Amino acid sequence: MADERHWRAVLVGPGDRVSLGGVWRTVKATQTDRYATGGLAVIFVFEEGRPARRPATELLPVIPLADWSLDE
């Protein structure tokens, strides 16, 4: 499998794989939202499982679509 990178949540897009809680999941869609305090949040919709909401500036382990799609 390709090497993971660490990206800000706001840079992750559809097709990328992201690790949340130690589980790798493929992102189906993203959207942005605001926290009540005004900070920017990213909502991840995955191909399987429940959506997740993270601060836009949080660093996440990511395997970009361009990297993992070549391995399969």
Side-chain angles (χ1 to χ4, degrees):
M1 185 173 268
D3 294 326
E4 71 181 56
R5 301 170 189 179
H6 286 83
W7 287 358
R8 303 271 179 215
V10 73
L11 298 175
V12 178
D16 293 335
R17 288 185 179 170
V18 65
S19 177
L20 297 176
V23 178
W24 287 97
R25 299 194 288 171
T26 303
V27 176
K28 183 177 178 180
T30 62
Q31 64 185 63
T32 56
D33 196 11
R34 292 271 177 196
Y35 286 105
T37 57
L40 187 62
V42 177
I43 300 169
F44 295 103
V45 178
F46 299 105
E47 290 184 359
E48 295 181 6
R50 295 176 43 161
R53 181 182 180 120
R54 293 289 188 262
T57 58
E58 182 178 347
L59 283 174
L60 300 172
V62 174
I63 299 175
L65 171 62
D67 287 356
W68 70 262
S69 62
L70 296 175
D71 290 341
E72 293 185 353

